[in-house]
């Protein structure tokens, strides 16, 4: 028996699996407030067959099932086993070792109860190339086979695929991380596991992590959150930046609708280059450096230095981020909806007399006030109405996509009584005027109708539902904490860390708009929209999802 199989047969048993399943059942709960909590682990185990799963390794696991006397011992043992693997397997420098690592990862994920999502390794570079010029992806939905072969569908391990390069170090900025799950994703593809993680919450906490994994909890002021999901993958010859809406834990990558932008490979500048060299036409390099600096974390110093040494000239999107604080003067234009307004006012032009509605889609709803004028119209809609337009006198129509209770009842998450959605009945009772602007989550076209959206997106859509003038993918829900609000005599107040990217036609396709529907002889690729068009209003007897609804089902 080789060392990898020995490790597995030592730490994985049937009783241990029963203990984990029991623990997950007990922990099932709901998210209770905007941007502050997360869903719990799923209660089911999905058994997935793999060509890498050999009869011998299955027998090794079966032979060890009598080695534990109680479930607590099993739980302790799997923790010890993960810690052993983290300390022992960090670098995979041969094809044989990577193949063994893949088998180990699949076996351990099945025993723990994670959904095992796999694709043929070494192929993602081809899919990535075909995603040009947008490089926008949506997570594959495990329960929706229709999403498996879509060109824009992705699973987490594809981001790490060795066809994109050999990873030497990783930076993860996220809301929540399950270190065990994340480590096993790296093990699955045989990539080096040196990483730094900044997060708001973490699950499956290990007493002793490998020295090559650093975790720092991001604390903030009351009612604030670290909601950003950014990855920087460092290779020997450059980096790649990923901006996402998904956390680093299993449930966020299984049966939900998430969005990701993946940058091209960004090479190192010559040693003689100045740190300000290699900027993109969108200012992405400086914006990313500024954002990382706002953490004031010594552990990020090396990553800021890496960013300065990189050529970002191939990046064609803008970074729109938020950081906690009260921002004054020109500094306010770097963050939140002020930043979005700054970009739109300089790079987007709408046709004359265009009455294209602003369409916002998010998984959380904040407190807006007693009328639409209280905050939405004054701060948000005004900032998203900054495009250069001739002849437009009135503010555009506002349409808000947020799942109804009926949408949730039909979802995969409802089967497990978990949810990424965040809205309280108390807040809704104070802003029922919002219902006249609400639209259902419908995504039949992309096979994601039952995959609740944790994606957040903002755009404007032409009256014939064929074109958009810009598109924002972001971690930011529709809330003051995420986007900011004006404090009289003080400045522009933001409470959350957030990050997103804006796609502007002028800088990506050289056109005024992106097509979102098939056109004859179209020279510009269709921009992928996750939801169905035209939008569907709520049914008369329906209402927006609130977290108290999950309580009523328990």
């Amino acid at each position: 028996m080789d060392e990898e199989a020995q490790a597995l047969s030592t730490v994985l048993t049937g009783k241990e699996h029963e203990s984990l399943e029991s623990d997950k059942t007990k922990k099932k709960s709901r998210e209770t407030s905007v941007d502050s909590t997360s869903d719990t682990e799923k209660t089911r185990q999905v058994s997935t067959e793999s060509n890498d799963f050999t009869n011998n390794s299955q027998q090794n696991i079966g032979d060890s099932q009598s080695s534990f006397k109680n479930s607590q011992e099993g739980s302790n043992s799997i923790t010890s086993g993960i810690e052993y693997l983290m300390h022992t397997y960090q670098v995979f420098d041969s094809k044989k070792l990577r193949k063994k690592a893949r088998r180990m990862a699949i076996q351990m994920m099945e025993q723990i109860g994670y959904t095992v999502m796999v694709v043929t390794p070494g192929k993602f570079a081809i899919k990535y190339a075909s995603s040009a010029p947008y490089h926008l992806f949506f997570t594959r939905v495990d329960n929706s086979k229709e999403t498996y072969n879509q060109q824009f569908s992705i699973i987490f391990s594809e981001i790490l695929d060795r066809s994109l390069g050999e990873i030497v170090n990783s930076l993860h900025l996220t809301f929540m991380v399950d270190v065990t799950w994340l480590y096993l994703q790296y093990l699955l593809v045989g990539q080096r596991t040196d990483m730094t993680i900044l997060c708001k919450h973490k699950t499956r906490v290990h007493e002793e992590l490998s020295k090559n994994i650093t975790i720092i909890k991001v604390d903030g002021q009351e009612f604030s959150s670290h909601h950003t999901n950014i990855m920087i993958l460092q290779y020997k010859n450059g980096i790649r930046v990923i901006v996402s809406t998904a956390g680093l834990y299993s449930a966020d990558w299984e049966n939900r609708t998430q969005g990701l932008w993946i940058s091209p490979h960004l090479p190192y500048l010559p040693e003689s280059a100045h740190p300000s060299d290699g900027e993109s036409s969108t200012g992405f390099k400086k914006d990313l450096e500024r954002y990382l600096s706002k953490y004031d974390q010594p552990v990020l110093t090396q990553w800021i230095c890496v960013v300065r040494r990189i050529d970002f000239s191939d990046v064609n999107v803008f970074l729109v981020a938020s950081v906690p604080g009260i921002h004054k003067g020109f500094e306010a234009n770097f963050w939140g909806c002020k930043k979005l307004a700054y970009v739109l006012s300089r790079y987007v032009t709408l046709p004359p007399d265009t009455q294209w509605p602003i369409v916002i889609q998010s998984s959380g709803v904040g407190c807006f006030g007693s009328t639409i004028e209280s905050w939405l119209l004054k701060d948000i809609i005004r900032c998203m109405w900054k495009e250069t337009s001739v002849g437009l006198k009135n503010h555009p129509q506002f349409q808000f996509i947020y799942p109804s209770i009926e949408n949730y009842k039909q979802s995969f998450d409802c089967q497990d009584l978990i949810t990424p959605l965040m809205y309280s009945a108390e807040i809704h009772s104070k802003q029922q005027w919002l219902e006249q602007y609400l639209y259902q989550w419908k995504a039949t076209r992309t096979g994601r109708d039952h995959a609740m959206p944790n994606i957040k997106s903002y755009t404007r859509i032409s009256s014939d539902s064929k074109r958009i003038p810009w598109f924002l993918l972001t971690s930011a829900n529709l809330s003051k904490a995420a986007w900011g609000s004006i404090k009289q005599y003080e400045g522009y107040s933001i409470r959350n860390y957030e990050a997103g990217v804006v796609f502007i036609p002028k800088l990506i396709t050289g056109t005024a708009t992106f097509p979102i529907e098939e056109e004859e002889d179209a020279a510009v690729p269709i921009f992928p929209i996750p939801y169905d068009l035209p939008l569907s209003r709520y049914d008369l007897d329906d209402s927006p999802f609130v977290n108290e609804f999950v309580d009523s089902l328990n």
Side-chain angles (χ1 to χ4, degrees):
M1 185 184 300
D2 62 25
E3 191 174 9
E4 291 83 357
Q6 180 66 53
L8 283 170
S9 64
T10 301
V11 302
L12 302 179
T13 73
K15 284 190 175 182
E16 169 183 285
H17 172 67
E18 292 170 6
S19 171
L20 286 165
E21 289 298 297
S22 175
D23 288 345
K24 285 186 284 183
T25 301
K26 292 176 182 177
K27 290 179 182 177
K28 186 184 291 183
S29 63
R30 63 172 176 82
E31 295 175 292
T32 57
S33 62
V34 173
D35 300 343
S36 63
T37 57
S38 77
D39 49 56
T40 57
E41 295 293 333
K42 284 194 161 187
T43 60
R44 63 181 175 85
Q45 176 190 21
V46 177
S47 179
T48 304
E49 294 184 358
S50 168
N51 292 333
D52 292 327
F53 208 33
T54 65
N55 291 331
N56 287 337
S57 61
Q58 288 175 324
Q59 184 63 47
N60 289 336
I61 294 173
D63 290 343
S64 66
Q65 289 188 348
S66 61
S67 62
F68 290 92
K69 295 181 179 179
N70 57 60
S71 60
Q72 183 61 48
E73 289 179 1
S75 180
N76 291 339
S77 181
I78 200 164
T79 299
S80 299
I82 286 291
E83 290 174 358
Y84 167 78
L85 291 177
M86 287 182 178
H87 281 79
T88 308
Y89 301 103
Q90 302 167 5
V91 181
F92 308 91
D93 53 5
S94 73
K95 187 174 182 179
K96 181 179 180 181
L97 185 56
R98 289 194 292 272
K99 189 173 182 179
K100 288 182 178 180
R102 183 175 175 84
R103 287 201 302 267
M104 292 167 62
I106 292 173
Q107 292 166 14
M108 186 162 280
M109 283 190 283
E110 289 191 333
Q111 289 296 312
I112 291 174
Y114 293 135
T115 295
V116 181
M117 304 178 76
V118 294
V119 295
T120 303
K123 303 290 186 181
F124 184 69
I126 299 173
K127 182 192 287 189
Y128 179 79
S130 68
S131 71
Y134 309 121
H135 303 307
L136 175 63
F137 296 89
F138 305 126
T139 47
R140 193 180 87 181
V141 179
D142 188 56
N143 287 350
S144 177
K145 304 304 180 186
E146 183 182 347
T147 67
Y148 279 37
N149 295 317
Q150 292 172 341
Q151 199 60 39
F152 52 77
S153 281
I154 192 172
I155 63 174
F156 188 88
S157 62
E158 288 182 283
I159 301 170
L160 310 176
D161 194 75
R162 293 181 71 91
S163 65
L164 296 182
E166 182 181 342
I167 298 171
V168 297
N169 205 354
S170 303
L171 173 66
H172 295 285
L173 311 176
T174 190
F175 173 67
M176 170 166 281
V177 62
D178 177 346
V179 182
T180 299
W181 178 84
L182 182 60
Y183 172 80
L184 290 174
Q185 296 300 313
Y186 277 75
L187 195 68
L188 186 65
V189 294
Q191 289 279 27
R192 190 183 185 101
T193 60
D194 293 63
M195 65 181 77
T196 299
I197 305 167
L198 273 68
C199 63
K200 178 72 173 179
H201 301 286
K202 53 187 176 181
T203 65
R204 297 184 188 272
V205 180
H206 298 281
E207 292 183 4
E208 184 181 355
L209 288 171
S210 170
K211 291 181 179 179
N212 69 326
I213 300 177
T214 300
I215 302 181
I216 296 175
K217 188 175 185 295
V218 180
D219 294 314
Q221 54 188 292
E222 189 177 8
F223 305 118
S224 70
S225 182
H226 182 258
H227 211 224
T228 292
N229 290 293
I230 288 179
M231 306 177 215
I232 301 180
L233 304 180
Q234 184 180 10
Y235 311 100
K236 293 179 180 179
N237 58 351
I239 68 170
R240 200 177 296 270
V241 180
I242 298 94
V243 179
S244 165
T245 64
L248 299 176
Y249 60 104
S250 182
D252 249 13
W253 291 83
E254 293 176 2
N255 285 304
R256 292 178 181 159
T257 303
Q258 307 275 11
L260 303 88
W261 170 79
I262 303 177
S263 82
H265 178 270
L266 307 174
Y268 285 105
L269 291 164
E271 291 187 7
S272 59
H274 190 273
S276 62
D277 292 344
E279 183 58 276
S280 70
S281 59
T282 63
F284 193 98
K285 179 176 182 175
K286 185 62 180 177
D287 286 341
L288 180 59
E289 180 186 338
R290 182 185 293 113
Y291 177 77
L292 294 176
S293 298
K294 283 294 182 178
Y295 283 93
D296 196 24
Q297 284 281 357
V299 73
L300 291 181
T301 300
Q302 71 176 90
W303 287 100
I304 293 171
C305 291
V306 168
V307 168
R308 289 172 178 166
R309 295 167 52 206
I310 293 295
D311 183 355
F312 279 78
S313 58
D314 284 341
V315 172
N316 59 12
V317 298
F318 290 87
L319 180 67
V320 173
S322 295
V323 293
I326 296 179
H327 309 289
K328 301 179 180 180
F330 190 75
E331 166 78 12
N333 290 325
F334 295 145
W335 312 112
C337 62
K338 293 278 190 181
K339 171 68 173 184
L340 180 59
Y342 181 86
V343 171
L344 297 182
S345 66
R346 283 158 178 77
Y347 296 96
V348 178
T349 302
L350 292 182
D353 298 311
T354 299
Q355 296 290 343
W356 293 3
I358 290 175
V359 179
I360 296 176
Q361 172 273 311
S362 78
S363 62
V365 185
C367 182
F368 305 145
S370 58
T371 68
I372 190 173
E373 288 83 8
S374 301
W375 177 72
L376 269 177
L377 183 58
K378 179 169 64 75
D379 288 0
I380 289 292
I381 294 177
R382 186 182 299 276
C383 284
M384 297 179 186
W385 179 35
K386 288 291 186 179
E387 311 96 329
T388 303
S389 182
V390 180
L392 186 61
K393 298 179 180 179
N394 301 318
H395 69 78
Q397 182 184 359
F398 164 60
Q399 298 176 336
F400 184 27
I401 303 172
Y402 177 76
S404 67
I405 285 180
E406 189 60 32
N407 291 156
Y408 177 75
K409 287 165 65 176
Q410 301 299 320
S411 74
F412 299 127
D413 274 353
C414 186
Q415 298 171 16
D416 295 323
L417 299 185
I418 58 175
T419 180
L421 307 176
M422 296 166 283
Y423 193 25
S424 76
E426 180 182 0
I427 291 178
H428 184 63
S429 68
K430 299 175 182 178
Q431 53 189 38
Q432 294 188 32
W433 55 264
L434 184 62
E435 293 186 11
Q436 63 185 298
Y437 302 100
L438 288 174
Y439 290 79
Q440 299 183 60
W441 172 255
K442 294 286 187 181
T444 304
R445 178 179 52 85
T446 61
R448 291 168 171 80
D449 208 39
H450 304 301
M452 285 293 92
N454 195 43
I455 189 175
K456 296 90 177 168
S457 63
Y458 300 71
T459 188
R460 295 185 71 170
I461 300 178
S462 64
S463 54
D464 61 2
S465 298
K466 291 184 177 181
R467 294 176 291 162
I468 58 173
W470 54 270
F471 185 88
L472 168 66
L473 173 75
T474 179
S475 65
N477 278 310
L478 189 57
S479 71
K480 295 177 184 178
W483 283 106
S485 59
I486 297 173
K487 299 290 186 182
Q488 193 171 14
Y489 308 120
E490 294 183 29
Y492 186 59
S493 175
I494 296 176
R495 294 203 298 267
N496 288 1
Y497 288 95
E498 308 279 0
V501 290
V502 187
F503 301 81
I504 303 293
K506 182 178 180 180
L507 299 178
I508 298 177
T509 58
T511 57
T513 59
F514 294 132
I516 56 175
E517 188 178 280
E518 290 282 358
E519 298 178 348
E520 291 186 14
D521 302 321
V524 178
I526 293 175
F527 190 93
I529 296 289
Y531 44 79
D532 292 344
L533 294 171
L535 302 182
S536 299
R537 285 191 175 275
Y538 276 28
D539 295 332
L540 292 177
D541 58 347
D542 210 351
S543 57
F545 172 89
V546 291
N547 294 100
E548 288 78 2
F549 178 72
V550 180
D551 283 344
S552 71
L553 300 178
N554 285 322

